[in-house]
Amino acid sequence: MILMSDIIREGHPTLRQRAEQVEFPLTEENRKLAEELMEYVVNSQDEEMIEKYDLRPGVGIAAPQVNEPKRIFAIHFDEESGEDLSIIAINPKIVSHSVEKAYLASGEGCLSVDRSIPGYVPRYARITIKAFDLEGNEYKLRLKGLPAIAFQHELDHLNGVMFYDHINSDNPFAEIENAVAITRDIAE
Ligand code: SB7
Ligand code: NI
């Protein structure tokens, strides 16, 4: 299972690489990787597992964060979060997006960043995505709100982009044109 000690931190070159496309059928290794990414995000939202394994909560994790530069990530929102998304995304892409932007009022964090970096991270408010599941079946989803933000955060990891790359360095809290603020108590 994936532990915090397996997660690489900012400064590691893998986080700045473009990750490789994944071939189907999946190798045993890639299947295990995808399943372990999902296992991490599920466990990291479970109080007992957090205690037991000293996990940091996260709604998503991308393969490059465990030093595997492959186009795979997992996103999971617990039922009580009020969101409804739990996906393994392989070779994911955004096929269309709104003009309107959105940002988390509390900013973003990252399992690969051990400091808090204040500021608004502009994202698309609504996206239509395509990705492949473990069996190699392509699926299409429309996302908005926090799931849309999480998807964009993870997709960035596959392209070597960190959330703070998007923050206005002159004024981290500068108003973002045509954007809605998303307020939420947990922003992990
Ligand atoms: C804030 C945090 C995340 C997504 C969107 C907003 C995920 C944080 C965990 N990760 O570092 C995943 O890459
Ligand atoms: Ni991250």
Side-chain angles (χ1 to χ4, degrees):
M1 84 186 266
I2 294 169
L3 299 172
M4 284 311 295
S5 53
D6 299 308
I7 296 176
I8 59 172
R9 309 302 158 94
E10 50 176 338
H12 194 296
T14 301
L15 290 172
R16 289 308 195 175
Q17 275 180 35
R18 186 185 157 82
E20 292 284 332
Q21 287 275 128
V22 173
E23 307 276 343
F24 289 99
L26 288 186
T27 62
E28 213 28 67
E29 188 201 1
N30 285 340
R31 171 180 290 269
K32 180 163 176 269
L33 172 61
E35 286 172 343
E36 287 197 324
L37 294 173
M38 179 54 85
E39 180 188 38
Y40 180 88
V41 283
V42 170
N43 287 346
S44 83
Q45 296 174 58
D46 177 326
E47 211 50 68
E48 272 176 35
M49 295 304 262
I50 294 172
E51 283 270 308
K52 188 164 178 199
Y53 295 108
D54 204 18
L55 306 177
R56 227 183 101 184
V59 294
I61 188 172
Q65 294 183 274
V66 292
N67 203 18
E68 296 278 2
K70 296 171 181 175
R71 305 189 76 78
I72 309 175
F73 61 69
I75 294 176
H76 176 79
F77 287 92
D78 257 24
E79 261 166 44
E80 61 263 37
S81 73
E83 309 288 350
D84 178 29
L85 186 69
S86 185
I87 52 166
I88 288 173
I90 302 173
N91 300 337
K93 59 185 185 205
I94 293 173
V95 294
S96 67
H97 62 77
S98 59
V99 173
E100 189 176 54
K101 303 280 182 65
Y103 61 92
L104 280 183
S106 53
E108 294 187 18
C110 182
L111 294 168
S112 297
V113 179
D114 289 327
R115 57 197 173 115
S116 84
I117 303 178
Y120 297 148
V121 180
R123 303 290 190 184
Y124 300 121
R126 294 174 299 282
I127 55 178
T128 300
I129 69 92
K130 279 186 177 173
F132 293 84
D133 67 15
L134 290 174
E135 311 318 321
N137 300 312
E138 194 171 29
Y139 61 91
K140 185 176 177 176
L141 291 173
R142 297 191 62 187
L143 304 176
K144 59 180 166 63
L146 202 55
I149 288 181
F151 191 96
Q152 291 169 81
H153 178 115
E154 302 313 330
L155 187 60
D156 271 353
H157 278 306
L158 307 188
N159 295 325
V161 175
M162 301 293 283
F163 73 92
Y164 50 77
D165 299 346
H166 300 292
I167 297 175
N168 181 327
S169 49
D170 298 325
N171 178 5
F173 294 105
E175 189 197 330
I176 298 163
E177 286 292 309
N178 204 357
V180 289
I182 296 177
T183 37
R184 221 174 159 266
D185 24 69
I186 60 151
E188 290 118 359

